[in-house]
């Protein structure tokens, strides 16, 4: 087998046994990047070949650090990796070199990962379509005229192309789930608080975004998640996460899986999205699980209002200073300006009301899991769209009233910090991939990964349908 088509855990085992050297793996990785990255533009700020080979030779001559020892990885360009630029896709920060690793990056390096560069992301991670004025657009490897999704689009495309075996992503509004679905790989938004954020700025109010793992198999997801998680005493809302890899092959039986469909008509779907989702669910039912449709359990308009207010509130906290500076304001994309201006204009009572709605939805969702083990929605409401679009303006003749309304399907889980695993769902007649969100109650990360593993062993979509470049 091509070593770049091996899962990360298989690469790790070969490295540990001496059947594979870090230098050989690095050389193959860089050769693959040379061949395909110019087509998809997934990896950016790549270290020189000499630098990366030096990292690999040093790993070969050093004691084994952990399961990632000698495995190349690229970090999403929203996080800091020491010695590499953190542009966040913005001209304001292009060329800004990180002096230290972010917490989860340091954990990956402590386990032996070799950081070779960064993966592309939209400007400040805003929008589920990876393009920015610094590095350009990331293209979908299954159709180079289409979007790879976002904001972890670079990571997902790199995985699909075999340039990486595992990758980090982050997810506020589907940024792990949508690109994983559109690139026929796995992505996990873990229970909020299990992967620590940076102990900087406000650490209480903005419970929306989280980092998480991406991979071509659920076992690799679990291994990377176990490395990224762990309580950080510097953070007040960080939570403990039990290991997930050890029980990954325990077969789940007779799960009650609720299909949320289009949320009672609230979510517009492009033709074929519901069909590929239902076909995947029918196959999942064949594994011995009970699949049943579930009526919309909460008012979608209230949820959307809560989400958009809390999101703008959070974005304004992060980017407000840039908007207030006339010299830098004009260099921000319209979506960033819109979010910040909404957030800055918001009253404390508006924020309180948004949080109250979120609390209502959390209570309702908690009661749903008394009857259901897993809830399911598509990972995106449409197929990968034209890479030259800013965002889709309509779905199934329904107008989208904001740059992110087309991703409304991801907010039921994201708003209340539930764990979600995207699993590949198959392909449409157009040859494009789709994904399913497997949603569980807080703390059910290991259970979701076991279901994803069962699905993977049955379908093997990442191996069955690789992109041809």
């Amino acid at each position: 087998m091509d070593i770049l088509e091996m899962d990360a855990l298989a690469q790790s085992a070969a490295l540990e046994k001496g059947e594979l050297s870090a230098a050989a793996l690095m050389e193959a990785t860089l050769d693959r990047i040379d061949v395909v990255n110019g087509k998809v533009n997934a990896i950016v700020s790549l270290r020189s070949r000499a630098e990366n080979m030096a990292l690999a030779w040093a790993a070969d001559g050093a004691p084994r650090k952990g399961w990632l020892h000698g495995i190349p990885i690229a970090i999403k360009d929203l996080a800091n990796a020491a010695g590499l630029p953190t542009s966040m896709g913005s001209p304001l920060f292009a060329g800004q070199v990180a002096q230290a690793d972010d917490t989860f990056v340091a954990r990956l390096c402590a386990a032996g990962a070799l950081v070779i560069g960064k993966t592309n992301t939209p400007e400040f991670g805003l929008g589920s379509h990876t393009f920015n004025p610094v590095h350009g657009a990331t293209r979908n490897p299954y159709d180079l005229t289409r979007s790879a999704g976002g904001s972890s689009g670079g990571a997902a495309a790199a995985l699909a192309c075999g340039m990486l075996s595992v990758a980090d992503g982050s997810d506020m509004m589907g940024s792990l789930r949508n690109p994983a679905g559109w690139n026929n790989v796995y992505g996990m938004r873990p229970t909020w608080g299990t992967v620590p954020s940076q102990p900087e700025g406000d650490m209480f109010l903005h419970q929306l975004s989280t980092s998480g793992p991406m991979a071509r198999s659920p076992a690799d997801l679990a291994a990377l998640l176990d490395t990224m998680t762990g309580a950080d005493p510097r953070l007040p809302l960080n939570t403990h996460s039990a290991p997930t890899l050890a029980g990954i092959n325990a077969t789940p039986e007779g799960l009650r899986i609720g299909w949320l469909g289009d949320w009672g008509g609230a979510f517009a779907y492009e033709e074929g999205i519901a069909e590929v989702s239902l076909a995947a669910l029918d196959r999942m039912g064949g594994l011995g699980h009970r699949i049943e449709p579930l009526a919309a359990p909460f008012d979608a308009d209230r949820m959307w209002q809560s989400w958009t207010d809390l999101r703008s509130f959070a974005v304004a906290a992060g980017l407000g200073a840039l908007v207030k500076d006339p010299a830098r304001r004009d260099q921000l994309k319209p979506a960033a300006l819109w979010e910040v201006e909404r957030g800055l204009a918001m009253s404390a009572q508006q924020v309180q009301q948004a949080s109250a709605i979120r609390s209502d939805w959390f209570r309702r969702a908690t009661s749903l899991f008394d009857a259901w083990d897993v809830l399911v929605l598509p990972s995106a409401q449409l197929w990968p769209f034209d890479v030259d679009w800013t965002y889709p303006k309509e779905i199934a003749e329904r107008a989208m009233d904001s740059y992110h309304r087309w991703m409304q399907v991801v907010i039921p889980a994201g708003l209340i910090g539930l764990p979600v695993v995207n699993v590949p769902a198959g392909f449409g007649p157009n040859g494009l991939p789709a994904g399913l969100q497997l949603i569980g109650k807080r703390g059910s990360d290991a259970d979701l990964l076991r279901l994803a593993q069962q699905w993977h062993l049955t379908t093997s979509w990442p191996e069955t349908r690789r992109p041809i470049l």
Side-chain angles (χ1 to χ4, degrees), residues 57-84:
W57 290 325
D60 280 332
R64 187 171 171 83
K65 291 182 176 181
W67 81 275
L68 284 169
H69 192 92
I71 294 180
I73 196 168
I75 303 299
K76 186 175 176 179
D77 198 24
L78 296 181
N80 290 310
L84 288 170

Side-chain angles (χ1 to χ4, degrees), residues 98-428:
Q99 300 304 304
D101 292 329
D102 280 354
T103 301
F104 81 83
V105 178
R107 291 177 174 181
L108 299 180
C109 292
L114 305 180
V115 179
I116 63 172
K118 306 297 286 287
T119 55
N120 204 19
T121 182
E123 184 179 334
F124 298 113
L126 296 176
S128 285
H129 174 28
T130 298
F131 72 100
N132 64 70
V134 178
H135 297 297
T138 298
R139 296 174 178 269
N140 193 301
Y142 287 93
D143 182 340
L144 295 174
T145 70
R146 306 289 183 119
S147 169
S151 60
S152 306
L159 286 168
C161 294
M163 292 188 283
L164 300 173
S165 57
V166 285
D168 72 286
S170 59
D171 190 302
M172 179 184 273
M173 193 174 179
S175 293
L176 276 160
R177 294 165 276 167
N178 168 41
W182 279 5
N183 287 272
N184 191 38
V185 297
Y186 292 86
M188 183 173 189
R189 179 191 167 101
T191 295
W192 192 90
T194 58
V195 176
S197 58
Q198 290 307 104
E200 301 168 350
D202 177 80
M203 299 189 295
F204 285 89
L205 291 177
H206 305 295
Q207 301 179 45
L208 293 177
S209 184
T210 180
S211 295
M214 303 182 75
R216 293 193 298 267
S217 73
D220 282 357
L221 275 189
L224 199 63
L225 179 65
D226 288 350
T227 305
M228 297 173 75
T229 56
D232 186 334
R234 300 171 297 173
L235 294 169
L237 302 177
N238 200 210
T239 59
H240 173 72
S241 175
T244 59
L245 179 60
I248 190 73
N249 288 312
T251 303
E253 297 180 357
L255 296 181
R256 301 160 298 173
I257 298 176
W259 164 240
L260 288 162
D262 62 2
W263 206 274
F267 304 154
Y269 290 153
E270 192 172 15
E271 184 178 355
I273 294 295
E275 289 78 3
V276 75
S277 299
L278 287 168
L281 283 171
D282 184 63
R283 192 169 182 180
M284 195 173 289
L287 300 176
H289 306 303
R290 190 183 81 198
I291 315 292
E292 293 186 12
L294 181 60
F298 195 81
D299 184 84
D301 290 337
R302 290 184 71 212
M303 189 185 295
W304 180 249
Q305 186 63 53
S306 173
W307 173 262
T308 53
D309 286 353
L310 291 172
R311 178 180 169 92
S312 293
F313 177 57
V315 173
L319 302 181
L322 300 180
V323 171
K324 293 175 182 178
D325 181 348
R328 296 190 287 179
R329 174 190 176 93
D330 291 343
Q331 296 187 61
L332 298 176
K333 71 177 184 179
L337 286 173
W338 178 78
E339 292 277 20
V340 172
E341 288 173 350
R342 285 191 80 245
L344 294 177
M346 211 166 287
S347 70
Q349 284 305 308
Q350 281 178 278
V351 175
Q352 172 62 32
Q353 178 61 22
S355 187
I357 294 171
R358 171 161 63 175
S359 300
D360 287 343
W361 166 227
F362 181 80
R363 282 185 283 268
R364 176 67 182 114
T366 300
S367 69
L368 287 178
F369 288 112
D370 291 335
W372 304 95
D373 298 301
V374 178
L375 304 178
V376 177
L377 284 165
S379 296
Q381 293 169 227
L382 72 170
W383 302 100
F385 52 77
D386 192 314
V387 72
D388 293 325
W389 292 4
T390 303
Y391 64 89
K393 302 298 173 60
E394 65 175 38
I395 300 176
E397 300 185 344
R398 189 184 304 182
M400 300 290 103
D401 58 4
S402 71
Y403 80 101
H404 54 10
R405 172 72 85 160
W406 63 276
M407 285 299 296
Q408 190 174 358
V409 73
V410 301
I411 68 167
L415 181 61
I416 55 176
L418 301 180
V420 191
V421 176
N422 170 83
V423 297
F427 288 72

